[in-house]
């Protein structure tokens, strides 16, 4: 009886220990799986950051705008791709080998997850924060862009990319004075491709701003893509980064950062004449600020000539006052010595 009881107790203890070890093994396994998943995510994030870092090292870009500048003005421009200076951003409409336009290039980068894109608010103000990022799939669905999805990957053919319809860009730039090195810069901050799509009734094409792109995110990649800059020389090309850094684009101002948050059209109350006058006024203010820092060339020349004229008058006046205060005999001696010196100089010249 005692032996049976002992055997039963041993079997019960073994069963309990097996149950406890199994119960402990499951949470440990789940914890190990969760830890492994976190490590994979960290590795992926690390790989993405290292990719961006390699891009920045291999293709160095301009320095970002300092935060402690003493003067800065944010300006929004509408970049019309039908303008001759902006045509390189539009053509070719479909990729030709490695050559592609800006929207196709940015669209591919965003679709592959290399750069984030941000939603376009109805008020037109950009909010480039993590909570305003937009999934590319939602953009494809919202604007009826055909795509194929297989194994979690989205594929869009070149013919389905709405590159021909993207004929405008909204671009935000910052004009600022860097007091650290006394330089004036105009730095692009973000841009938004705008799609012009006609309705089924053939009316005027409506504007559809797609998304905002932070310029510092796409800047390293722009150094790898070139555009044509001439119609008569096919060898005249430059990188997209140089194109924006050198401010080769042309666009009309449609808004500036103001306390009321109004566009120029709202300030002009819909009057096109007032709108044009307001745009010219802002451009003139920027140019005046630049000239006040460095000085316009014609102003510098005129100031230099005036300074030289005033200096020569002062010297002549000083000489006359000195001569007037000296005795007549000394003046005669100086004039005679000067004439004799001049004669000696002329004789030496004749000898040579």
């Amino acid at each position: 009886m005692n032996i049976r009881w002992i055997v039963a107790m041993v079997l019960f203890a073994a069963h309990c220990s097996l149950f406890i070890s199994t119960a402990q093994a499951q949470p440990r396994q789940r914890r190990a799986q969760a830890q492994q998943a976190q490590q994979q995510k960290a590795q992926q994030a690390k790989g993405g950051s290292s990719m961006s870092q390699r891009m920045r090292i291999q293709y160095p870009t301009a320095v970002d705008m300092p935060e402690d500048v003493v003067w800065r003005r944010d300006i929004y421009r509408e970049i019309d791709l039908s303008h001759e200076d902006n045509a390189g951003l539009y053509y070719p409409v479909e990729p030709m080998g490695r050559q592609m336009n800006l929207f196709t290039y940015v669209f591919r980068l965003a679709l592959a997850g290399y750069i984030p894109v941000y939603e376009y608010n109805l008020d037109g103000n950009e909010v480039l924060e993590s909570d305003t990022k937009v999934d590319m799939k939602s953009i494809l669905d919202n604007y009826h862009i055909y795509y194929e999805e297989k194994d979690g990957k989205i594929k869009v053919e070149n013919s389905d990319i709405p590159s021909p319809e993207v004929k405008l860009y909204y671009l935000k730039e910052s004009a600022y004075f860097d007091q650290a090195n006394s330089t004036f810069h105009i730095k692009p901050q973000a841009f938004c491709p705008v799609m012009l799509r006609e309705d089924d009734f053939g009316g005027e094409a409506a504007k559809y701003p797609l998304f905002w792109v932070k310029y510092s995110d796409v800047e390293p990649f722009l150094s790898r893509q070139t555009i044509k800059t001439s119609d008569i020389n096919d060898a005249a090309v430059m990188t997209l980064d140089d194109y924006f850094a050198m401010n080769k684009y042309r666009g009309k101002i449609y808004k500036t950062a103001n306390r009321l948050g109004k566009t120029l059209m709202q300030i002009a109350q819909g009057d096109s004449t007032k709108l044009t006058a307001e745009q010219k006024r802002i451009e003139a203010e920027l140019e005046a600020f630049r000239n006040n820092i460095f000085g316009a060339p014609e102003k510098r020349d005129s100031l230099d000539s005036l300074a030289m004229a005033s200096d020569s008058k002062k010297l002549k006046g000083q000489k006359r006052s000195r001569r007037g205060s000296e005795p007549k005999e000394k003046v005669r001696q100086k004039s005679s010595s000067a004439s004799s010196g001049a004669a000696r100089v002329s004789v030496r010249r004749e000898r040579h």
Side-chain angles (χ1 to χ4, degrees):
M1 187 70 180
N2 291 334
I3 295 174
R4 291 180 178 177
W5 185 80
I6 293 172
V7 171
M9 291 297 294
V10 170
L11 291 175
F12 178 76
H15 180 71
C16 290
S17 62
L18 180 63
F19 176 79
I20 292 172
S21 62
T22 304
Q24 291 178 351
Q26 290 179 355
R28 287 178 183 175
Q29 186 176 5
R30 287 197 296 269
R31 287 196 296 269
Q33 291 176 354
Q35 187 176 3
Q36 185 178 3
Q38 290 178 357
Q39 289 177 355
Q40 289 178 354
K41 290 181 179 180
Q43 290 177 357
Q44 291 176 357
K46 185 178 179 181
S49 61
S50 62
M51 174 64 180
S52 178
Q53 186 66 19
R54 287 198 301 271
M55 290 288 296
R56 292 184 180 275
I57 294 174
Q58 187 174 3
Y59 302 97
T61 55
V63 180
D64 292 337
M65 180 182 64
E67 296 181 357
D68 58 345
V69 295
V70 296
W71 187 90
R72 165 188 167 188
R73 189 165 190 180
D74 294 336
I75 296 172
Y76 296 80
R77 296 183 182 273
E78 184 178 279
I79 309 300
D80 186 0
L81 300 189
S82 62
H83 194 282
E84 182 179 1
D85 293 335
N86 307 325
L89 302 178
Y90 186 73
Y91 296 101
V93 177
E94 289 193 14
M96 299 174 59
R98 297 183 58 183
Q99 194 68 28
M100 64 185 72
N101 65 8
L102 177 62
F103 178 73
T104 302
Y105 191 54
V106 170
F107 185 88
R108 285 185 171 183
L109 290 174
L111 196 63
Y114 288 111
I115 59 172
V117 294
Y118 304 87
E119 66 180 356
Y120 181 87
N121 297 325
L122 295 178
D123 58 1
N125 295 322
E126 77 292 343
V127 181
L128 308 178
E129 302 292 342
S130 58
D131 56 347
T132 60
K133 291 182 180 179
V134 184
D135 185 19
M136 282 297 294
K137 186 176 180 180
S138 62
I139 293 176
L140 298 177
D141 293 332
N142 292 337
Y143 296 100
H144 307 289
I145 302 173
Y146 180 78
Y147 65 92
E148 295 179 355
E149 188 173 6
K150 184 177 181 181
D151 298 332
K153 295 183 179 180
I154 298 176
K155 182 180 180 181
V156 181
E157 298 292 339
N158 291 332
S159 58
D160 295 322
I161 298 176
S163 178
E165 296 178 300
V166 177
K167 299 180 180 179
L168 290 176
Y169 280 93
Y170 293 151
L171 184 138
K172 178 187 177 182
E173 63 182 14
S174 294
Y176 66 95
F177 175 71
D178 187 0
Q179 70 275 14
N181 50 17
S182 299
T183 53
F184 181 83
H185 301 276
I186 298 178
K187 174 75 174 180
Q189 299 295 330
F191 60 84
C192 170
V194 181
M195 186 168 58
L196 299 182
R197 178 170 288 181
E198 298 180 356
D199 55 17
D200 296 335
F201 301 100
E204 186 178 357
K207 296 180 180 180
Y208 294 95
L210 298 178
F211 47 77
W212 281 105
V213 178
K214 195 175 181 180
Y215 186 78
S216 59
D217 292 336
V218 75
E219 190 174 11
F221 299 94
L222 297 182
S223 301
R224 305 178 64 185
Q225 191 65 31
T226 59
I227 61 172
K228 291 181 61 176
T229 59
S230 175
D231 293 332
I232 59 177
N233 184 9
D234 293 336
V237 295
M238 69 169 53
T239 64
L240 283 168
D241 183 37
D242 289 338
Y243 176 85
F244 283 104
M246 298 172 65
N247 309 123
K248 293 294 185 180
Y249 54 86
R250 295 292 178 268
K252 294 182 179 180
I253 301 175
Y254 71 90
K255 188 175 70 169
T256 59
N258 55 73
R259 289 172 292 180
L260 297 176
K262 291 184 178 181
T263 63
L264 295 189
M265 183 61 74
Q266 292 173 338
I267 295 174
Q269 299 179 352
D271 190 343
S272 59
T273 304
K274 292 182 180 180
L275 174 63
T276 303
E278 190 69 14
Q279 291 170 340
K280 291 181 178 180
R281 183 186 64 82
I282 296 173
E283 296 283 7
E285 287 178 353
L286 293 174
E287 189 65 23
F289 183 82
R290 186 201 298 266
N291 293 336
N292 288 334
I293 295 174
F294 304 108
E298 59 274 6
K299 290 183 180 179
R300 289 200 301 268
D301 295 340
S302 61
L303 290 175
D304 292 341
S305 61
L306 289 174
M308 292 175 65
S310 61
D311 291 340
S312 62
K313 288 181 180 178
K314 288 180 181 178
L315 291 173
K316 290 180 179 179
Q318 291 174 359
K319 290 180 180 178
R320 290 175 181 174
S321 61
R322 288 176 183 175
R323 289 182 178 179
S325 62
E326 291 179 351
K328 294 182 179 180
E329 294 180 356
K330 291 185 177 180
V331 173
R332 290 175 181 175
Q333 291 176 0
K334 287 184 178 180
S335 61
S336 62
S337 62
S339 61
S340 62
R344 284 196 295 270
V345 170
S346 62
V347 171
R348 288 175 183 174
R349 286 177 181 173
E350 289 175 0
R351 287 178 183 176
H352 287 290

